[in-house]
Amino acid sequence: MAANGWTDDLLDRMRTTGDPLGDAAIAETYELGQQEQVRQTLLGFGRNSDAVPAGLPPKLQEYFARTADLPPWADQARMARGHDLLGRYQPLIATILLCGSLPSCYTCGNGAEVLARSQRLTSGVYRRLSETSQFIVDVLDNDGLGPTGRGLRSAQKIRLLHATMRYHVSQLGDWDAAKLGVPVNQEDLAGTLMSFSVVIPNGLAKLGVQLTTEDRDAYFHIWRVVGHVLGVREELNPEKFGDGSALVDRVIARQQRPSEAGTVLTKGVLDFIRELLPAPPGVGPTLIRTLIGDKSADVIKVPPSDSLTQLGLSAASLPAFGYGKTGDTLPPAAKVASQLGLLIFKEGLLLANKGRRRDWQVPTGLTDAPS
């Protein structure tokens, strides 16, 4: 849909819309009392080629059958080109996720209220960020959406996670659907999808790494395919990067507001950075403000950048990490971001997980399921 088609009327309707297919599967699972059985059954269900486990409730079987295929417009050549970017920019992508994508989502007050009601993001930040980083690897790794990959199954599980959050949050006595919309509604899903497909390429540019138009569009195309699997409505899953950029700007213009939920979620990110990165405490706020801008950072009460850290980001000469092509040069600000991103992947995906994958689980409630 063209950028000027995202009217308030359309987006207001999308705030009342969830995901009928995923919601029906989760509702039946709870009606049958099989939520823990389903969680356990799906734990080892990770490869795209894995057969759907036997014994799942009927609507959950239907869900997996109907979401198992990529859309007919998925372009394998473009996706292969997009996959190549992970090897070159993996640490930077991790940092932009942490300091750009997530904070930009937290500025949207209504969507942040959903996350605040789930301990999955307000506690155990280390594990949550590890899971999200693992999802990016699953999607962007070579053949991540092909038969030998894990991206498709990971996206299917996350879609069920969203349905679980809708199921439980909607039953809370303090949830005002008329004011806040359906939990994890289509507008919020679209904004979150664009925080991966648009905010990350824009973040690379802000750190001094300019993608070619072809690489940027290939990266965007992968996330458009993932958005289809995640159940994002077609009218909110644009084909072109420019339209995606206009859509995320429109969602932020409509939804951005200060909220206690957004501030708490952002504090978790800043605390995580301070714990992980052996660098001055101003690095986290400075990176966030660089990536999302001062206006948005003020909404979620990000501390000011300090002059010492700003000077470091403009003149630092830290070693470059994670670059896979001889001759790549890394601007100074990107060197700091790359160091942080490498630590996220090393610490979050390996050391914290004792060398094993941190897979998304379909939870049985708003709090963590047992590991």
Side-chain angles (χ1 to χ4, degrees):
M1 178 174 288
N4 61 8
W6 292 304
T7 63
D8 283 336
D9 178 66
L10 170 64
L11 294 175
D12 286 345
R13 285 189 284 111
M14 292 298 99
R15 293 206 68 76
T16 68
T17 305
D19 173 18
L21 183 62
D23 292 341
I26 289 299
E28 181 186 60
T29 298
Y30 277 86
E31 289 168 5
L32 297 174
Q34 295 184 16
Q35 56 268 28
E36 178 59 23
Q37 174 188 336
V38 165
R39 189 188 74 83
Q40 292 287 348
T41 300
L42 295 180
L43 279 178
F45 180 50
R47 293 282 181 189
N48 298 342
S49 57
D50 287 348
V52 177
L56 294 177
K59 290 185 179 179
L60 197 55
Q61 293 181 38
E62 178 188 2
Y63 164 83
F64 279 111
R66 291 178 59 182
T67 59
D69 297 322
L70 300 185
W73 43 260
D75 186 324
Q76 296 296 330
R78 295 177 75 188
M79 289 193 293
R81 181 167 188 154
H83 291 320
D84 289 343
L85 298 179
L86 181 65
R88 299 183 65 191
Y89 305 119
Q90 176 173 292
L92 292 180
I93 289 172
T95 295
I96 297 166
L97 164 71
L98 180 65
C99 299
S101 301
L102 295 181
S104 70
C105 290
Y106 299 160
T107 69
C108 296
N110 292 342
E113 293 292 342
V114 180
L115 299 176
R117 285 160 171 77
S118 169
Q119 291 186 26
R120 295 186 61 81
L121 282 172
T122 54
S123 66
V125 175
Y126 207 96
R127 177 178 172 182
R128 298 315 137 229
L129 293 171
S130 297
E131 290 177 331
T132 306
S133 297
Q134 185 67 67
F135 176 53
I136 289 178
V137 171
D138 289 347
V139 168
L140 295 183
D141 207 1
N142 287 334
D143 201 36
L145 295 173
T148 63
R150 295 177 179 269
L152 177 61
R153 295 306 190 199
S154 293
Q156 288 174 316
K157 289 183 181 181
I158 290 175
R159 185 170 175 177
L160 291 176
L161 165 63
H162 293 158
T164 301
M165 293 176 70
R166 274 190 296 273
Y167 178 87
H168 287 285
V169 172
S170 295
Q171 297 183 45
L172 296 176
D174 63 346
W175 186 257
D176 186 349
K179 176 182 177 182
L180 301 174
V182 170
V184 200
N185 59 69
Q186 285 290 323
E187 184 182 27
D188 289 343
L189 284 172
T192 302
L193 179 66
M194 298 304 117
S195 77
F196 289 95
S197 63
V198 172
V199 171
I200 288 178
N202 285 344
L204 286 170
K206 290 176 182 178
L207 293 174
V209 179
Q210 290 285 348
L211 299 178
T212 66
T213 300
E214 293 78 10
D215 282 344
R216 182 203 67 189
D217 290 348
Y219 178 89
F220 183 81
H221 184 73
I222 289 176
W223 285 107
R224 184 177 181 232
V225 174
V226 173
H228 174 87
V229 179
L230 289 172
V232 177
R233 293 277 293 264
E234 183 178 353
E235 57 263 53
L236 295 182
N237 192 8
E239 179 180 357
K240 297 180 180 179
F241 180 88
D243 286 344
S245 184
L247 175 57
V248 72
D249 288 346
R250 185 77 184 109
V251 171
I252 288 175
R254 283 169 45 85
Q255 296 299 324
Q256 189 171 86
R257 65 174 176 83
S259 69
E260 181 179 357
T263 300
V264 169
L265 291 164
T266 304
K267 182 179 182 300
V269 169
L270 290 169
D271 290 345
F272 175 77
I273 294 172
R274 280 194 292 268
E275 177 183 342
L276 185 64
L277 186 64
V283 165
T286 300
L287 283 171
I288 291 175
R289 288 183 173 274
T290 297
L291 291 169
I292 71 172
D294 287 329
K295 178 182 177 181
S296 294
D298 288 341
V299 169
I300 47 178
K301 299 183 179 179
V302 175
S305 301
D306 62 80
S307 57
L308 179 62
T309 304
Q310 287 178 318
L311 179 63
L313 287 179
S314 63
S317 58
L318 295 177
F321 293 99
Y323 271 55
K325 283 193 175 181
T326 303
D328 276 340
T329 57
L330 194 60
K335 291 178 181 177
V336 178
S338 186
Q339 184 188 38
L340 173 60
L342 188 69
L343 287 170
I344 291 171
F345 273 93
K346 279 188 173 181
E347 301 290 335
L349 299 185
L350 295 176
L351 299 183
N353 301 332
K354 300 179 181 178
R356 62 185 175 88
R357 286 176 51 82
R358 175 64 75 183
D359 286 316
W360 283 93
Q361 299 182 27
V362 179
T364 57
L366 294 180
T367 56
D368 281 328
S371 297

